[in-house]
Amino acid sequence: MRALDHKLMRDLWRIRGQAGAIALVVAVGVSLLVMMSGMLQSLRETRIQYYESYRLAEIFAPVTRAPTPMVERVADIAGVAAAEGRIRGAALLDMPGQALPVRAAALSLPRSMVPRLNNLYLKDGRLLAPGHMDEVVVLESFATAHDLALGDHLTATMQGSRRDFQIVGFAASPEFLFTTAPGEFVPDDARFAVLWMHEEALAAAFDVQGAVNEVLIALEREANANDVLAKVDRLLDRYGGQGAYLRKDSMSDRFISEEIAGLSATSVVVPPIFLGVAAFLLYIVITRLVQAEREQIGLIKAFGYTDFEVALHYFKLVIIIAVIGAALGCALGLWGGRLMAGVYQSVYHFPFLVFRVEPSSFVTGIITSVFAASAGGILVLRGVFRLTPAVAMRPPAPMDFSRTGALNNRLRRWLDQPTRMVLRRILRNPGRIGGAVLGIAVGMGLSSAQMSLMSGFDDTLDLTFGVIDRSDVAVTFFEPMPAKTAFNMAHLPGVLEVEPVRSVSAVMRNGRQSYRGSVTGLVEEARLNRAVRKDMSDITMPTKGIVLARALADTLDIGPGETLRVEVLNGRRPTIDVQVAEVAETLLGAPAYMRFEGLNAALGEVGRVSAVYLRVDASKMDALYAALKDMPTVAGVTQREDARAAMQKLMDTGAGAMRYVMAAIAGIITFGIVYNAARIAFGEQSRDLASLRVMGFTRGETSYVLLGELVVVVLLAVPLGVGIGYYLSFLIAAGFSTDLYQIPTGFRPDAFGAAGVAVLLATVVSGALVRRDIDKVDLVETLKTRE
């Protein structure tokens, strides 16, 4: 082994603590990149494979009642590869121990039990037996939420009639990766069920014998989806067609698409921030390491080694540290990704989910780490290489403080000698101290931004269910009800206040741009279900026109004053043109609002009510639920607290769970920065500290000289870290925000205070570790010149 390689091994062992801390900073940045990119790739591929394996339809065409032969006519449309009809109905389930009924979708299975499209993944039990019309297969996620077992019985209300069913199987379906009750925004496995039944039994329950009320369509590979949609709508219009829509517009696929889009945005925005911070910190650390090696560099050059050989020696040092960190990061990323894959599989109900990482993610992490380390070495070695060996072997000349005598005299009067030594060292090395301050500030900024993000998630919940939705119970109806419904609701047990809402499903179009969603009509000065902006100010419902959320307006490429075409998919399915009155920044979803009276007038249905929001006396909740159960027009009842719990689960799983991982990583980086600063300062001053001990300074005074500098650096870094964290929080929040929800950002004293306390704790721990090394210093060995 060459002499320089021997020195390299000794140097790595000598600075093993610093090298380990640097490698850990690199590792956490690389692990985040590997984990998020791998998770994103795995989700995308798993969804594609699941959809293809179980033949999820590409077009859904709901219809009031279409004769069965019409399915063959749909199949004959150019571009259609396959078509299948089915019956779909709504039901209410009475679950033991629950006062509220649970909404359910009932779907028919053909006699063969193997649908051509939207096939089932049977997880337990069996499919329906021929002739047993009282058997059902239940969505497995709902069964798990209610601890249902094979052989259990369910009581369901369909079309006003109560029926008893026996559970014979549990199944999953690519159609129901997320389960959301009609009219609700947040998915909840416990509050929405799916039942698969015999086609004959369901046809009898909903009086659609010889007909279907939904057509599922698969497209040929080169088919034009929009052309097929138009032809299907024309064909089914006479049978009460409600507007065919693509798979991407179904609620389940929309949710999983939003989750993937959110994870994609997060993986684009957040890992580069962490890797950038790690690269910057690596540069600072390597710079100070090489500066500390100045005398050794001069000695090596004096022995005849060329600049290239010296450079290669130090590049080996930094590259070994960077590669070790990157390799550790790749391993941690794989381990963390597999753990996250289990979380995603349970949340999204995939039957399989294999975590796989593209080789490019590993290559990116390693190249970034090596580049950052190399850049730091080049910048500092460039200055050292200009020196002759004789000059390089001498310590750098100290700054001239001869004109600060008056200041020194004043300091001598008020400060003791160790404190003056700390201040002189800081003043004589402003660049190095500035780098340390900036490094710790960036680490604290990263931590505070993550804590601010976590507070933002909590604020979204509080604002949604404390400011926007201030009702106790929401009641939805199977169909629009007359105006007197709200009056009747006010006389139910315990009801203190009633607020009606009109909502219609619609396709909104602006030229070639379209969006399938809903238009909600709110009463003037709504109190229980408000429309608010991001700053929590009320959105005033215009007398005429429509208010669009910014996300929806951007999708439709439309602004205030322009005309929006709204194709209503309910009832008589009118098409109305309405002027955009305002585009508002909202927190949740992509809503479209109109005034209650204005929407009904545009539809030609004065006073119709789709749902009501109720404020209720808590002591009479049970009596209210009993009354609502006996109302056949009620499609569902939702408690605000249940909706809040469901949204909390949504934000704490999937892409939202990444914020906890990144908060932990930010904490590790912060500790690594502070510890590195302390270790490097100790390495630079070890001979000086040993000299102080020889001159009679106590161990405590010697430690004070070193750690006092660290304390000053940290105190200077904290306010700077607050500013960095404030601006980082906006960037990271933008990465986590989706069309489903926006994460509010701003100055959060609790988040920044917690990050500051974390930095101070890291300082205390790092100081204690370094103080232990100071006490163990061998004075004679340290004062010797290192070869």
Side-chain angles (χ1 to χ4, degrees):
M1 185 181 292
R2 297 176 55 195
L4 287 184
D5 291 335
H6 279 290
K7 178 181 180 298
L8 177 62
M9 294 299 103
R10 289 197 304 268
D11 286 346
L12 282 172
W13 179 252
R14 176 175 53 84
I15 63 169
R16 58 188 179 279
Q18 294 163 251
I22 297 170
L24 188 59
V25 171
V26 174
V28 293
V30 173
S31 67
L32 189 62
L33 173 66
V34 170
M35 181 171 60
M36 296 190 72
S37 60
M39 198 68 255
L40 180 62
Q41 182 70 18
S42 300
L43 275 178
R44 285 172 172 167
E45 292 186 0
T46 299
R47 180 173 67 164
I48 292 173
Q49 292 180 19
Y50 192 24
Y51 283 4
E52 291 179 351
S53 299
Y54 291 87
R55 304 183 297 279
L56 181 63
E58 294 168 89
I59 292 179
F60 296 77
V63 63
T64 302
R65 180 189 173 104
T68 302
M70 291 303 300
V71 177
E72 294 301 323
R73 294 189 58 184
V74 171
D76 292 336
I77 294 175
V80 174
E84 184 173 44
R86 71 178 181 184
I87 301 171
R88 182 183 185 122
L92 292 177
L93 304 181
D94 286 329
M95 302 303 298
Q98 288 194 203
L100 288 174
V102 174
R103 280 188 273 188
L107 303 176
S108 65
L109 285 176
R111 292 182 180 178
S112 66
M113 293 293 116
V114 182
R116 297 180 63 191
L117 299 174
N118 293 22
N119 196 10
L120 305 185
Y121 173 73
L122 190 65
K123 287 198 167 186
D124 197 8
R126 59 173 175 82
L127 294 175
L128 309 176
H132 292 258
M133 300 300 168
D134 62 342
E135 293 182 347
V136 292
V137 175
V138 178
L139 187 66
E140 189 265 346
S141 57
F142 174 80
T144 300
H146 289 273
D147 293 324
L148 297 177
L150 296 176
D152 286 351
H153 287 259
L154 290 175
T155 300
T157 301
M158 299 178 176
Q159 293 287 85
S161 300
R162 295 172 67 85
R163 300 170 183 268
D164 185 73
F165 296 101
Q166 184 181 18
I167 301 174
V168 297
F170 299 128
S173 169
E175 186 179 357
F176 298 104
L177 294 175
F178 277 100
T179 51
T180 306
E184 293 195 15
F185 176 74
V186 181
D188 187 352
D189 293 335
R191 296 191 299 122
F192 184 70
V194 180
L195 311 178
W196 284 274
M197 303 171 50
H198 280 286
E199 187 173 36
E200 297 88 341
L202 202 54
F206 290 92
D207 193 24
V208 286
Q209 292 90 343
V212 297
N213 60 15
E214 188 173 33
V215 180
L216 307 177
I217 301 169
L219 298 176
E220 294 177 348
R221 188 175 297 275
E222 302 299 328
N224 185 308
N226 291 326
D227 288 346
V228 174
L229 283 175
K231 293 175 181 178
V232 170
D233 283 341
R234 284 196 296 270
L235 186 62
L236 298 180
D237 184 65
R238 61 183 294 188
Y239 301 103
Q242 298 171 20
Y245 58 91
L246 296 172
R247 176 199 294 166
K248 66 183 181 66
D249 292 320
S250 66
M251 288 303 298
S252 176
D253 189 74
R254 183 177 292 183
F255 267 101
I256 189 66
S257 296
E258 287 294 338
E259 286 292 326
I260 291 176
L263 185 59
S264 178
T266 304
S267 66
V268 169
V269 173
V270 178
I273 294 176
F274 279 79
L275 284 173
V277 170
F280 171 72
L281 298 175
L282 197 60
Y283 162 72
I284 293 176
V285 171
I286 296 302
T287 299
R288 293 185 65 178
L289 277 174
V290 174
Q291 286 174 341
E293 293 278 316
R294 172 192 170 106
E295 297 177 38
Q296 283 69 43
I297 292 173
L299 183 62
I300 293 171
K301 293 177 72 174
F303 275 102
Y305 288 95
T306 65
D307 287 348
F308 175 78
E309 289 173 319
V310 176
L312 182 59
H313 167 69
Y314 283 97
F315 275 139
K316 287 180 181 178
L317 176 70
V318 297
I319 288 173
I320 287 174
I321 295 174
V323 170
I324 290 174
L328 178 61
C330 291
L332 289 175
L334 286 172
W335 175 73
R338 290 193 175 98
L339 291 181
M340 289 299 296
V343 174
Y344 274 91
Q345 185 175 0
S346 63
V347 171
Y348 302 146
H349 312 308
F350 287 117
F352 53 87
L353 180 58
V354 179
F355 180 76
R356 188 174 67 85
V357 183
E358 291 292 333
S360 59
S361 299
F362 297 120
V363 174
T364 301
I366 294 174
I367 289 178
T368 303
S369 307
V370 172
F371 176 78
S374 302
I378 289 173
L379 291 175
V380 69
L381 286 172
R382 186 180 58 180
V384 176
F385 290 158
R386 297 194 185 103
L387 303 177
T388 63
V391 175
M393 289 172 65
R394 293 198 303 267
M399 296 179 65
D400 183 8
F401 284 86
S402 60
R403 299 181 182 180
T404 62
L407 177 61
N408 286 333
N409 291 332
R410 294 191 186 95
L411 292 177
R412 187 178 294 113
R413 185 179 310 168
W414 297 102
L415 302 177
D416 57 20
Q417 188 174 12
T419 304
R420 295 199 304 272
M421 294 173 68
V422 171
L423 291 180
R424 280 198 299 270
R425 180 172 172 81
I426 291 173
L427 293 173
R428 290 176 181 177
N429 300 278
R432 181 180 57 77
I433 296 298
V437 168
L438 186 57
I440 295 175
V442 170
M444 176 186 164
L446 202 56
S447 294
S448 59
Q450 288 299 317
M451 293 181 182
S452 180
L453 176 71
M454 297 176 76
S455 297
F457 273 82
D458 294 335
D459 285 352
T460 298
L461 280 173
D462 293 338
L463 294 173
T464 302
F465 297 101
V467 177
I468 298 175
D469 184 358
R470 297 189 290 190
S471 67
D472 296 312
V473 175
V475 181
T476 56
F477 304 105
F478 282 111
E479 58 185 20
M481 303 300 293
K484 66 178 182 180
T485 301
F487 176 80
N488 295 336
M489 285 286 173
H491 291 80
L492 292 178
V495 175
L496 304 176
E497 187 175 357
V498 179
E499 189 171 281
V501 173
R502 180 68 201 273
S503 180
V504 293
S505 298
V507 176
M508 290 163 269
R509 300 187 188 275
N510 178 42
R512 294 184 177 181
Q513 308 301 322
S514 64
Y515 181 85
R516 185 184 179 95
S518 62
V519 179
T520 303
L522 300 180
V523 297
E524 188 177 5
E525 297 182 357
R527 288 167 39 84
L528 301 184
N529 180 42
R530 302 167 59 205
V532 299
R533 300 180 179 85
K534 288 182 81 170
D535 61 1
M536 292 300 104
S537 60
D538 285 293
I539 298 175
T540 302
M541 291 298 108
T543 305
K544 294 182 179 179
I546 190 170
V547 178
L548 302 180
R550 169 62 61 187
L552 178 55
D554 291 343
T555 299
L556 294 171
D557 191 22
I558 197 170
E562 298 183 64
T563 300
L564 177 69
R565 172 151 292 188
V566 180
E567 300 174 1
V568 180
L569 302 176
N570 306 123
R572 298 180 294 105
R573 299 182 59 203
T575 297
I576 59 177
D577 292 326
V578 59
Q579 189 178 59
V580 178
E582 181 184 351
V583 174
E585 296 283 354
T586 59
L587 278 176
L588 290 176
Y593 298 114
M594 292 181 68
R595 184 171 288 198
F596 180 79
E597 298 84 357
L599 177 58
N600 274 322
L603 297 174
E605 300 174 350
V606 179
R608 290 284 172 172
V609 177
S610 301
V612 292
Y613 287 83
L614 309 177
R615 187 165 61 87
V616 183
D617 182 349
S619 64
K620 298 183 179 179
M621 280 287 191
D622 291 341
L624 173 64
Y625 295 153
L628 291 173
K629 270 188 175 183
D630 293 333
M631 297 179 65
T633 57
V634 172
V637 181
T638 304
Q639 283 183 292
R640 182 182 60 173
E641 292 306 314
D642 290 341
R644 181 190 178 100
M647 188 170 183
Q648 178 78 64
K649 180 181 178 182
L650 175 66
M651 288 185 167
D652 286 344
T653 54
M658 283 289 181
R659 71 188 194 272
Y660 296 108
V661 176
M662 287 189 291
I665 289 176
I668 293 172
I669 288 180
T670 302
F671 176 78
I673 298 165
V674 177
Y675 179 70
N676 263 302
R679 289 293 310 177
I680 292 173
F682 174 65
E684 291 174 340
Q685 300 183 58
S686 58
R687 296 184 67 187
D688 296 338
L689 296 174
S691 299
L692 292 177
R693 290 288 309 283
V694 171
M695 288 188 293
F697 280 73
T698 66
R699 289 180 176 178
E701 290 173 326
T702 306
S703 300
Y704 177 77
V705 171
L706 175 64
L707 300 180
E709 176 187 333
L710 179 63
V711 171
V712 172
V713 168
V714 169
L715 292 179
L716 292 174
V718 167
L720 180 60
V722 171
I724 293 174
Y726 176 75
Y727 290 103
L728 270 181
S729 65
F730 287 93
L731 189 59
I732 295 176
F736 273 96
S737 298
T738 69
D739 286 346
L740 297 177
Y741 52 79
Q742 302 291 311
I743 304 302
T745 52
F747 182 75
R748 305 180 187 279
D750 56 338
F752 291 100
V757 170
V759 170
L760 295 177
L761 289 175
T763 304
V764 171
V765 174
S766 300
L769 294 174
V770 174
R771 167 65 188 271
R772 184 184 62 180
D773 292 340
I774 294 174
D775 293 342
K776 294 179 180 179
V777 167
D778 185 327
L779 300 183
V780 176
E781 185 67 27
T782 304
L783 290 173
K784 289 181 180 179
T785 299
R786 184 159 50 86
E787 298 171 358

